[in-house]
Amino acid sequence: MEVLLNKLYEQNELTKDEIVYFLHHLTPELQKRLFHMAVETRKKHYNESVFLRGLIEFSNFCKQDCMYCGLRRSNRDVDRYRLTEEEILECAAEGYKLGYRSFVLQSGEDFSYTEDLMVRMVTNMKARFPDAAITLSMGERSEAFYRALYYAGTDRYLLRHETASRSLYESLHPGMSYDNRMNCLRILKDIGYQVGAGFMVGLPNQTYEHLAEDLLFLKDFQPAMVGIGPFIPHSETPLKEAIGGSIQDTLVMIALARLFVPNALMPATTAMGTLDPQGREKALSAGANVMMPNLSPLMVREKYALYENKICMGDEALHCRNCIEMRITASGYKIELSRGDHCNFTSTPEKGTTL
């Protein structure tokens, strides 16, 4: 086990069999060393910085029917909403006043937000906040859509691969294509986005072999961002009786992902804080380095329920920022309010964003 851990730290790679063996035989003492190595690896690329992104959840409509998600189209109990372009810009303006220079616009797969509408919105955001980075997370769209939004000024795109196992993916995403998911990720990277991938830990029927495949996919794809969080069952989904993922298992995967993709930006997710009051701080201590305070209007926050009992639903944007800053500082890290680009980010004359 020592040999495997040292190999991973020094070479940033293991085989699938080695990953599975490591997970089966991980002791508390080795886990401590794993977390320490993950933190040391993060420091090499980002020092003690924790980057803040202002999150705007602008629509909870979704055309997909994923088995685990509270926003799935079959859930009739969801109070659906869509923010207008002006409401989204108002959220960004509030965040900008609070110092944020990075915004994440996230929604379900809602095709009411057409290419033309999104191009106009991104263009307006860039005109009003020229020194801010814009990230979109809207699911699977066409290559033409992705290209249009990139050239309108979008810097990053988040699209979790969810699982690198074809069979597990197909069991969780009825009507969706594993190949199309992976193709979308490749297209986004080829266009020039800083791309975010990621997966959930603790899904029903997920094995160490599946998790090893996730890590190897990340190693091969080399995303700019990696989002990993625990699966939390939602009572209005087919997986409502499932057990769900644990904080500890998720921390191990965050640390391993940090070592497989050393220079990635990795969020300490809200889901971690939902399962454990210290969950986000623990994620920072396992190699994460991003937090995303919520800028969405209070009237819609509870409606964006991918899972239940989500934290920070009633916090004003200022309070949310102050709370997160206090947590980051108390954990011994430095708050970073810049664009927070990937450490290998460079600009190009034609667009200004590339890796």
Side-chain angles (χ1 to χ4, degrees):
M1 288 292 285
E2 290 284 347
V3 173
L4 292 181
L5 189 54
N6 289 331
K7 176 185 175 182
L8 181 56
Y9 182 56
E10 294 167 7
Q11 302 177 27
N12 305 119
E13 64 180 16
L14 292 175
T15 67
K16 181 177 178 179
D17 287 344
E18 286 172 335
I19 297 168
V20 172
Y21 182 88
F22 184 86
L23 292 173
H24 272 295
H25 297 88
L26 186 61
T27 64
E29 184 56 37
L30 280 171
Q31 188 170 281
K32 288 180 184 177
R33 289 199 58 214
L34 170 66
F35 292 169
H36 174 73
M37 289 179 175
V39 169
E40 290 301 307
T41 299
R42 182 196 60 216
K43 285 180 182 178
K44 293 177 184 177
H45 300 280
Y46 297 103
N47 299 314
E48 300 289 355
S49 296
V50 175
F51 301 91
L52 298 190
R53 325 288 206 194
L55 176 64
I56 304 170
E57 297 165 331
F58 63 93
S59 170
N60 67 351
F61 281 83
C62 190
K63 67 189 286 283
Q64 304 296 0
D65 215 19
C66 303
M67 301 288 279
Y68 49 78
C69 183
L71 301 188
R72 66 196 310 262
R73 70 169 185 268
S74 294
N75 185 0
R76 307 292 184 186
D77 290 339
V78 179
D79 186 3
R80 305 286 180 177
Y81 74 90
R82 292 185 175 106
L83 298 185
T84 65
E85 180 181 354
E86 187 54 41
E87 287 171 328
I88 294 170
L89 289 171
E90 286 175 3
C91 292
E94 182 178 12
Y96 196 85
K97 288 178 183 176
L98 291 172
Y100 299 126
R101 296 298 180 266
S102 180
F103 300 107
V104 178
L105 276 58
Q106 185 174 63
S107 71
E109 291 200 16
D110 184 355
F111 279 59
S112 292
Y113 292 87
T114 62
E115 180 182 311
D116 289 345
L117 188 157
M118 292 305 299
V119 165
R120 185 175 69 243
M121 187 189 308
V122 168
T123 301
N124 288 338
M125 282 190 71
K126 281 291 188 177
R128 290 180 63 175
F129 318 114
D131 57 337
I134 298 175
T135 301
L136 293 182
S137 181
M138 303 175 65
E140 298 176 12
R141 293 292 187 114
S142 68
E143 180 174 348
F145 178 93
Y146 291 148
R147 287 192 181 276
L149 270 295
Y150 179 76
Y151 287 105
T154 308
D155 302 279
R156 308 167 189 148
Y157 202 99
L158 304 181
L159 184 70
R160 284 190 178 187
H161 68 278
E162 306 295 3
T163 172
S165 162
R166 180 185 295 274
S167 59
L168 186 58
Y169 184 92
E170 291 174 350
S171 72
L172 295 168
H173 303 91
M176 297 179 70
S177 163
Y178 173 87
D179 290 328
N180 189 62
R181 190 70 166 199
M182 292 301 182
N183 192 45
C184 283
L185 283 165
R186 286 189 290 270
I187 288 170
L188 287 163
K189 193 172 185 182
D190 288 344
I191 289 170
Y193 283 98
Q194 295 178 59
V195 181
F199 58 95
M200 282 186 290
V201 179
L203 289 163
N205 301 315
Q206 188 182 58
T207 65
Y208 285 155
E209 284 77 10
H210 292 140
L211 293 171
E213 290 171 8
D214 284 315
L215 293 171
L216 292 173
F217 167 76
L218 294 175
K219 171 70 176 175
D220 178 65
F221 185 66
Q222 289 293 307
M225 299 164 284
V226 176
I228 299 174
F231 161 60
I232 303 177
H234 190 291
S235 64
E236 297 299 326
T237 69
L239 300 183
K240 61 185 177 183
E241 302 297 337
I243 294 174
S246 73
I247 285 288
Q248 210 59 34
D249 289 345
T250 307
L251 291 172
V252 168
M253 297 312 296
I254 289 172
L256 288 171
R258 169 58 67 196
L259 294 175
F260 273 94
V261 194
N263 55 15
L265 290 152
M266 299 180 61
T269 64
T270 304
M272 295 292 282
T274 297
L275 284 189
D276 182 335
Q278 297 295 311
R280 287 175 292 180
E281 290 90 331
K282 290 178 180 179
L284 295 178
S285 297
N289 64 339
V290 174
M291 284 199 187
M292 297 196 290
N294 203 324
L295 295 174
S296 306
L298 290 178
M299 64 180 181
V300 303
R301 286 203 201 162
E302 290 187 1
K303 301 175 184 179
Y304 200 87
L306 306 176
Y307 51 87
E308 292 166 314
N309 303 312
K310 190 175 175 182
I311 59 171
C312 304
M313 290 297 96
D315 292 346
E316 295 284 354
L318 177 59
H319 181 269
C320 193
R321 177 185 155 173
N322 290 341
C323 173
I324 283 181
E325 287 195 3
M326 179 183 68
R327 288 173 176 273
I328 292 170
T329 303
S331 299
Y333 298 96
K334 174 189 170 186
I335 296 155
E336 180 60 65
L337 284 168
S338 67
R339 282 171 48 103
D341 289 300
H342 185 274
C343 60
N344 290 346
F345 169 87
T346 57
S347 62
T348 56
E350 65 271 16
K351 173 60 170 63
T353 58
T354 188
L355 284 177

